[in-house]
Amino acid sequence: MTITDAAKQRIFAMLDVDDDGVISRAEYLARVDRAAAALGRGADHLVVAAARAAHEKVWADMDADHDGRVTFEEYRTWAGHDAFERSCRPALGSLFDVADLDGDGRLSRAELTRLRVASRNTASDADRAFDDLDTDRDGLVGRDAYLAGIHDYVTTGVSPMGAVYGSGNRP
């Protein structure tokens, strides 16, 4: 199964912060700053700097024609398993690290919700995703489960992380 256009459109809409039909470099890279601010991390924190560098790599990979903007068609062509493994996994893992305030490789409900709301998801959608990802019901979501959930969504359109894209409402 491959990702549907509907799933790609939901992700694209989340990244297109000003809703002008393109993702600008500034919009894309600002997601790191929003996550850092939401989690109380300073811009000079090492995990924030690592996240910024990882997102720069995604941007360079995603902006195929290097014009400083990504259209939906460009995103549609780029998104999928190969792009996820090549550049998204490290970038999304770095955002997880920004949110993992105690560095234990697991996010609490509050940490995951703050991260996802900073990524333009609703708190209720993040809450649903947490419930689906916390399969052992210990109140924590591990890095591997988080990344696997996103991978499944961006490559097939189906996963527990689909809940964070579910309502279409923006905070």
Side-chain angles (χ1 to χ4, degrees), residues 52-88:
R52 200 171 290 110
H55 279 74
E56 287 279 3
K57 289 178 183 176
V58 173
W59 179 257
D61 195 33
M62 188 168 49
D63 183 16
D65 62 5
H66 306 291
D67 67 351
R69 41 184 271 147
V70 174
T71 64
F72 178 71
E73 288 304 316
E74 203 169 1
Y75 180 80
R76 173 194 279 155
T77 300
W78 173 81
H81 174 77
D82 291 342
F84 186 88
E85 294 302 326
R86 182 175 54 248
S87 60
C88 289

Side-chain angles (χ1 to χ4, degrees), residues 10-82:
R10 285 181 176 163
I11 296 167
F12 184 87
M14 180 190 72
L15 297 172
D16 179 15
V17 176
D18 64 8
D19 298 318
D20 68 351
V22 297
I23 305 165
S24 71
R25 181 178 178 277
E27 280 175 309
Y28 185 74
L29 297 177
R31 68 190 307 218
V32 174
D33 298 324
R34 286 192 313 272
L39 278 299
R41 300 269 198 189
D44 60 344
H45 195 284
L46 289 177
V47 296
V48 175
R52 200 171 290 110
H55 279 74
E56 287 279 3
K57 289 178 183 176
V58 173
W59 179 257
D61 195 33
M62 188 168 49
D63 183 16
D65 62 5
H66 306 291
D67 67 351
R69 41 184 271 147
V70 174
T71 64
F72 178 71
E73 288 304 316
E74 203 169 1
Y75 180 80
R76 173 194 279 155
T77 300
W78 173 81
H81 174 77
D82 291 342

Side-chain angles (χ1 to χ4, degrees), residues 29-41 48 51 55 94-96 98-99 101 114-119:
L29 297 177
R31 68 190 307 218
V32 174
D33 298 324
R34 286 192 313 272
L39 278 299
R41 300 269 198 189
V48 175
H55 279 74
S94 72
L95 285 179
F96 182 98
V98 169
L101 297 176
R114 288 165 61 192
L115 172 61
R116 296 313 308 175
V117 168
S119 295

